[in-house]
Amino acid sequence: MHDCVSPFENFDITSLLEQRAGSRGHHPFLIWAPFDGTLRTWSYAQFAQDVACIAGGLLERGVRTGDRVLVQLENCPQALLMLFACARIGAVHVPVASATRPAEVAWFVEFTQAVGVVTQPDFAAGIAQVCPNLGWMAVTTTNAGDDAVPWTLPAGAIAFESLYGQPSAQRVPDPDLDALILFTSGTTSRPKGVVWTHANVLWGARLGASQQGLRADDVVHLFLPLNHVVALSWTFLPVLWTGASVVLQPRFSASRYWPAVIEYGVTVGSQVIFTANALAQHEVPKHKIRQWTNALNPPGQEDHFRLRVLGAWGMTEMAAQGIVGDPFASQPPGSIGRPSLAYGIHVQNDDGTPASIGSPGNLLVKGVRGLSIFKEYLKDPDATREAFDDDGLFRTGDRVIVWEDGFIQFSERVKDVIKVGGEGVSPAEIERVVLEVPGIREVAVVAQAHEAYGQVPVAFVVMREKLHISEHAGVSASVLAHCGTSLSKFKVPREVIVMDELPRINFGKIAKAQLRDWLQARP
């Protein structure tokens, strides 16, 4: 035992699942609600039994403690079963996005030294082609629960059901053991592998349940991708800690969202800005939802949806929300909440001094490695070391503003700050002003290289209604005129480009790197 007793001493993910199976055995845990497939419900006891059998099958295939298993699946029960089956035998679960291309999967397999892959029919042939030396590959019967269509199992692959073996024994709990490798969203370089321990997972489960005020009688809706921290740590893990129920769907669908909410009596959910904005275009029926968690509390959405919105901030490197709203108190629109009681939140100028109230500053977080903050970046000690300052504070790479009332607003990523003639310009400030122009639905401001000033801002806008190309010049003129009266001259965009949609990564996040690359490549 350590000198400082861990809050999860002699406890791990398997311990938590077994505990819930004992106390909530017959209660519905996982309600699988695919769009076109067969509905199925697992009680806590049934889920734990399936996990033990798959864990036994993994052992029979030679998977051992510390081995890594890569999982590329759309949301489905098998994705969650694999997480716990790996944990039960001490293996490491490595989920990657369903949109990952075969060549990228090959890199992930090689980088993590994965001993096996679990995937679905849509991806199996491509993976088999680029990973000829893979130890084994298990393939689900259907794609994200949709009704089965004829397909051929690649040579050497096995059906997922073949992983079921004799139930494995529960090993000695070790909260410091590696449990997960989550990948940051890569844009211009390789993504980093963020290593979570069992203690990290448990921290996300316990703190997430507490900060969101979840109850054992809650029904939580989950459609965000399970390789993403919002789905996994903010939404699913707190359900397990509380002993509640989760309704899992393959992906987001604005047309299918409310029917599922009503049918299953959903009371709590999580959104990202993209999905909440999409739902705002639809009529809101009578429902039982009392709150959503989102990246911020968007103006007007609480009244529109008739529920509370908890703005929150976190990262792949964070096991839970480091900044979050309060389910029992109101939160100013546009904010991401207040500092979590479980973290030290610091907002500093570039020289390390505290940022002034109302001024953007660099966000740093005090936590415990391998408990409240990730353990390390896989195979990258230099990046791990550089992620922390001399005082052990985690450099998030985000900039935020603390207002006089103590609430915090997200500003921008440090790498997004535009240096115009040596002056730091916040894209978020320009975006806020551009959105004041009538008819604009969305905006992204990025830097373009400039001979005289080094960089200048360029604004990409999406209109609420599609316009003819002949009308684009009028939009540009309106934006530039409004910015000219609201911003310093060096902050005014040098160009306004109207687009039908903005490119996105990571389930709705605007791909600013793609916009910068497009500007650079443009004649």
Side-chain angles (χ1 to χ4, degrees):
M1 188 172 71
H2 305 297
D3 292 338
C4 180
V5 180
S6 168
F8 307 115
E9 199 72 39
N10 198 34
F11 200 66
D12 63 6
I13 308 172
T14 304
S15 309
L16 176 59
L17 179 59
E18 291 295 326
Q19 191 177 89
R20 293 295 172 267
S23 63
R24 304 279 287 169
H26 297 297
H27 188 77
F29 173 37
L30 174 60
I31 301 167
W32 171 230
F35 299 150
D36 301 307
T38 303
L39 172 72
R40 183 178 174 186
T41 299
W42 279 259
S43 68
Y44 274 90
Q46 290 168 336
F47 189 86
Q49 179 63 23
D50 276 11
V51 164
C53 291
I54 296 171
L58 291 175
L59 287 174
E60 292 169 11
R61 301 208 71 80
V63 182
R64 296 292 182 264
T65 298
D67 285 346
R68 294 149 186 168
V69 178
L70 188 139
V71 176
Q72 187 191 20
L73 293 167
E74 293 179 278
N75 283 2
C76 62
Q78 292 88 344
L80 293 172
L81 288 166
M82 283 303 302
L83 166 63
F84 290 94
C86 288
R88 188 176 180 90
I89 61 174
V92 183
H93 179 70
V94 186
V96 298
S98 60
T100 304
R101 307 302 298 166
E104 296 172 301
V105 173
W107 181 84
F108 283 126
V109 168
E110 180 181 1
F111 181 66
T112 63
Q113 297 178 296
V115 298
V117 168
V118 176
T119 191
Q120 61 194 57
D122 277 350
F123 312 140
I127 295 175
Q129 184 176 2
V130 298
C131 300
N133 300 320
L134 187 65
W136 54 269
M137 179 167 65
V139 187
T140 58
T141 304
T142 61
N143 294 301
D146 293 340
D147 288 334
V149 295
W151 66 283
T152 302
L153 195 68
I158 61 172
F160 180 83
E161 290 71 18
S162 301
L163 289 180
Y164 281 75
Q166 291 298 314
S168 70
Q170 188 173 348
R171 58 178 178 76
V172 176
D174 181 1
D176 296 327
L177 195 66
D178 292 350
L180 271 168
I181 298 173
L182 299 169
F183 283 93
T184 59
S185 51
T187 52
T188 58
S189 61
R190 293 291 191 185
K192 294 191 287 287
V194 180
V195 179
W196 282 24
T197 65
H198 279 250
N200 282 139
V201 176
L202 293 169
W203 181 275
R206 180 175 181 177
L207 190 61
S210 174
Q211 293 187 153
Q212 296 173 89
L214 296 194
R215 309 187 302 245
D217 62 347
D218 274 324
V219 179
V220 179
H221 192 202
L222 174 54
F223 56 81
L224 298 169
L226 284 165
N227 67 296
H228 192 273
V229 69
V230 174
L232 184 64
S233 178
W234 293 21
T235 311
F236 173 71
L237 293 174
V239 171
L240 175 62
W241 188 270
T242 313
S245 302
V246 61
V247 176
L248 179 69
Q249 294 200 284
R251 66 192 77 88
F252 173 68
S253 169
S255 63
R256 293 178 169 102
Y257 177 82
W258 290 115
V261 163
I262 294 167
E263 180 174 356
Y264 301 107
V266 170
T267 59
V268 176
S270 293
Q271 302 284 340
V272 293
I273 295 171
F274 169 73
T275 59
N277 287 344
L279 290 173
Q281 310 306 312
H282 294 253
E283 184 178 350
V284 181
K286 184 178 179 181
H287 61 78
K288 297 180 179 178
I289 301 177
R290 71 173 183 275
Q291 75 183 33
W292 283 343
T293 302
N294 199 345
L296 53 79
N297 178 17
Q301 287 198 355
E302 288 190 327
D303 290 338
H304 178 78
F305 291 113
R306 303 188 303 277
L307 47 77
R308 171 154 286 166
V309 178
L310 298 187
W313 169 90
M315 301 179 69
T316 308
E317 290 87 345
M318 303 283 293
Q321 305 104 332
I323 301 171
V324 64
D326 186 338
F328 309 108
S330 61
Q331 178 177 349
S335 80
I336 57 176
R338 290 176 178 270
S340 165
L341 297 176
Y343 292 93
I345 299 298
H346 301 255
V347 183
Q348 301 178 350
N349 297 314
D350 290 342
D351 62 4
T353 58
S356 301
I357 295 296
S359 297
N362 302 313
L363 175 60
L364 295 91
V365 179
K366 182 66 174 179
V368 179
R369 295 257 303 269
L371 179 62
S372 56
I373 291 181
F374 75 116
K375 174 184 174 182
E376 63 187 357
Y377 291 121
L378 183 66
K379 297 182 179 179
D380 200 340
D382 290 340
T384 303
R385 184 169 52 254
E386 292 168 4
F388 296 87
D389 71 5
D390 294 340
D391 296 321
L393 301 181
F394 171 59
R395 298 183 174 108
T396 68
D398 285 346
R399 288 170 60 81
V400 299
I401 301 170
V402 182
W403 297 109
E404 285 193 8
D405 59 8
F407 281 93
I408 298 175
Q409 176 185 328
F410 182 81
S411 180
E412 67 267 313
R413 293 288 293 166
V414 170
K415 66 182 180 182
D416 288 338
V417 174
I418 302 171
K419 291 289 187 179
V420 182
E423 293 281 355
V425 175
S426 165
E429 181 183 9
I430 302 174
E431 289 164 358
R432 175 183 57 79
V433 172
V434 172
L435 283 173
E436 294 172 351
V437 176
I440 292 181
R441 188 185 79 197
E442 236 180 348
V443 57
V445 173
V446 300
Q448 181 179 32
H450 190 276
E451 287 186 5
Y453 294 101
Q455 293 179 325
V456 292
V458 172
F460 293 82
V461 300
V462 176
M463 307 305 294
R464 295 188 183 278
E465 297 182 3
K466 191 171 182 179
L467 303 179
H468 188 270
I469 192 169
S470 63
E471 300 174 278
H472 289 188
V475 171
S476 177
S478 297
V479 171
L480 293 176
H482 181 65
C483 289
T485 60
S486 305
L487 295 169
S488 302
K489 184 177 180 179
F490 66 90
K491 296 180 181 179
V492 176
R494 288 304 177 98
E495 186 177 2
V496 178
I497 300 171
V498 181
M499 303 184 73
D500 290 337
E501 294 292 340
L502 295 174
R504 298 183 184 276
I505 57 170
N506 202 17
F507 205 74
K509 184 183 296 184
I510 297 171
K512 288 194 172 184
Q514 292 184 28
L515 296 175
R516 285 190 288 264
D517 290 345
W518 182 83
L519 285 174
Q520 185 176 357
R522 186 176 59 165

